[in-house]
Amino acid sequence: MKALTWHGKRDVRVQEVSDPSIKEATDAIIKVTTSGICGSDLHLYELFGPFMLEGDVLGHEAMGIVEEVGAEVKNIKPGDRVVIPFNISCGHCFMCDRKLFAQCETTQVRDHGMGAALFGYTKLYGEVPGGQAEYLRVPQAHFGPIKVPEGPPDERYVYLSDVLPTAWQAVEWADIPGGGSVAIFGLGPIGQMCARIARHLGHRVIAVDGVPERLAMARRHGVETVDVPSHGNVPEAIRDLTDGRGPDSVIDAVGMESHGSPFAKLAQSITGMLPGRVAAPLMETAGVDRLSALHHAIETVRRGGTISIIGLYGGMADPMPMLRMFDKGITLRMGLTHVKRWIDTLLPLVEDDADPLGVMDLATHRLPLDQAPHGYEIFQKKRDGAIKVLLSP
């Protein structure tokens, strides 16, 4: 089959690889019909080389048609249309019983001290071949796949794999009071959906970014925006909009983005170029994340407020302004998304023809799999108005 494979920093290629096959009785094989490029994929493209092997198949936002199932898979059958959650969970362990599916004890990658395995995401998360391919092997298929009906386009459902549950969890964990306010840092796909979900739930939303196309998309959905280049002090600008206190909650949908401080950018770039055996421990202990968005979030949120971190961070020794956080009495919540925890809430919203979350107004580019390297490039460089790129094998 054809699949997008990793070969080094900013080097991804569509190649022929071996077809997947059933290995365990709880496996399934799906024929992929649509997969997304996630902002987290850009970290593999740019930085996480020390944790990748050449030829790794990328992608963790996939949906398609079931081709084959293992003997213990009874909930889906060949021909069913399914969305695949990005984290792989069993549904019945200690963590899954508590709906902490991203911490599934059956698939935890204990060799690296990490949580549940993920599709297409480094040896830290199990090195499971991903979904930017023609076919995908789905472990734990007795629980993971989400059945969706025939008819509506893939774009209606594919975001259930990651974008929608991730955004919903970010808003839930932000603990916004009824009729309260939230500032969202970053208007990539997750930030866009955080803004729409918070608006749908009746909250005031102020979103922060510096890319004109992202700001325009948010404004189309009734979101107040703050253009970073137009404000020397973003936290102050947001406080001015919120009676001088700051918003009740802040969502950091940026993580270790590509526009942080020059020093941190240099540290990340150097780390990304080091040999794997040197770079991996440095990344795990030296703390090369760009923390400007998180520091702005801490300055922005009102005293006694909550910060929900949904953007991906990867360092282990990042300096945090603990005195400021303690003095303001800030609550922090963060972590990978427990995808299946939120599906029962989200499915009726995406099936609603009124499209209350605007899922049909998120993808800016729909490309054949053969053009995936181009999709990565324009997404990473924020060119050609790229906000969300979907791939079709």
Side-chain angles (χ1 to χ4, degrees):
M1 69 170 183
K2 290 181 180 179
L4 187 74
T5 56
W6 183 92
H7 292 273
K9 183 174 180 176
R10 300 180 192 165
D11 183 3
V12 294
R13 309 172 194 172
V14 177
Q15 294 184 314
E16 296 283 335
V17 303
S18 298
D19 290 348
S21 60
I22 298 288
K23 296 181 179 179
E24 304 288 342
T26 52
D27 286 352
I29 306 294
I30 71 161
K31 182 177 182 179
V32 177
T33 54
T34 298
S35 61
I37 301 177
C38 179
S40 299
D41 290 329
L42 298 184
H43 302 320
L44 311 183
Y45 187 69
E46 185 73 20
L47 178 65
F48 276 173
F51 302 106
M52 302 289 290
L53 291 179
E54 188 164 359
D56 280 351
V57 178
L58 302 178
H60 59 267
E61 298 183 354
M63 69 175 293
I65 306 300
V66 178
E67 289 276 307
E68 185 181 358
V69 298
E72 295 181 17
V73 178
K74 308 297 184 185
N75 55 314
I76 57 173
K77 63 184 186 304
D80 284 347
R81 189 186 193 197
V82 294
V83 178
I84 307 302
F86 76 89
N87 42 29
I88 302 169
S89 48
C90 71
H92 57 72
C93 67
F94 177 91
M95 291 295 180
C96 289
D97 282 346
R98 288 154 180 78
K99 297 186 177 181
L100 299 174
F101 302 117
Q103 306 298 338
C104 173
E105 292 186 334
T106 300
T107 72
Q108 277 180 15
V109 186
R110 290 180 172 82
D111 289 349
H112 295 281
M114 305 300 278
L118 312 180
F119 287 100
Y121 216 81
T122 80
K123 60 188 176 185
L124 293 178
Y125 286 102
E127 212 161 24
V128 182
Q132 290 166 6
E134 292 181 305
Y135 293 89
L136 175 67
R137 171 181 167 254
V138 181
Q140 306 298 323
H142 63 285
F143 175 72
I146 303 157
K147 287 179 65 172
V148 296
E150 295 295 329
D154 281 8
E155 212 165 322
R156 181 79 71 89
Y157 298 110
V158 67
Y159 304 125
L160 292 171
S161 62
D162 182 351
V163 175
L164 282 171
T166 295
W168 193 277
Q169 178 171 297
V171 173
E172 284 281 334
W173 286 2
D175 196 24
I176 311 163
S181 57
V182 59
I184 298 170
F185 282 81
L187 282 170
I190 302 299
Q192 296 284 346
M193 280 302 174
C194 286
R196 298 177 200 182
I197 288 166
R199 285 266 301 163
H200 173 74
L201 295 174
H203 305 301
R204 181 187 180 191
V205 182
I206 303 166
V208 181
D209 206 290
V211 180
E213 294 87 352
R214 292 180 170 193
L215 293 165
M217 177 178 278
R219 286 194 292 267
R220 284 203 300 272
H221 293 270
V223 175
E224 297 176 63
T225 60
V226 172
D227 181 9
V228 173
S230 300
H231 296 85
N233 187 323
V234 170
E236 185 177 282
I238 298 174
R239 284 195 295 270
D240 287 344
L241 294 171
T242 52
D243 300 322
R245 295 188 188 91
D248 300 299
S249 306
V250 174
I251 295 172
D252 175 0
V254 179
M256 49 184 184
E257 244 277 20
S258 57
H259 298 290
S261 68
F263 177 78
K265 180 177 180 180
L266 176 63
Q268 280 196 345
S269 298
I270 291 172
T271 305
M273 292 185 290
L274 292 172
R277 66 182 182 278
V278 177
L282 181 62
M283 287 178 65
E284 290 178 330
T285 60
V288 298
D289 290 340
R290 304 164 191 181
L291 295 174
S292 58
L294 181 54
H295 284 206
H296 277 153
I298 293 165
E299 287 299 313
T300 299
V301 72
R302 69 160 168 79
R303 291 179 177 274
T306 299
I307 297 175
S308 173
I309 304 172
I310 205 66
L312 178 65
Y313 287 95
M316 292 282 279
D318 300 301
M320 293 289 287
M322 294 302 298
L323 174 60
R324 189 74 167 146
M325 294 161 64
F326 182 85
D327 178 65
K328 291 186 74 172
I330 292 169
T331 298
L332 290 179
R333 292 203 70 178
M334 67 192 81
L336 287 167
T337 307
H338 309 298
V339 173
K340 297 270 311 228
R341 181 173 184 161
W342 312 111
I343 295 303
D344 288 347
T345 301
L346 286 164
L347 197 53
L349 295 174
V350 301
E351 291 183 329
D352 185 344
D353 289 336
D355 194 12
L357 301 182
V359 296
M360 300 304 291
D361 182 31
L362 184 63
T364 52
H365 294 72
R366 300 157 189 81
L367 302 175
L369 181 62
D370 287 342
Q371 293 182 28
H374 172 67
Y376 269 74
E377 182 179 12
I378 62 172
F379 189 24
Q380 196 271 335
K381 295 180 178 178
K382 299 179 175 64
R383 290 182 179 169
D384 194 27
I387 296 174
K388 184 62 178 178
V389 180
L390 298 179
L391 304 173
S392 300

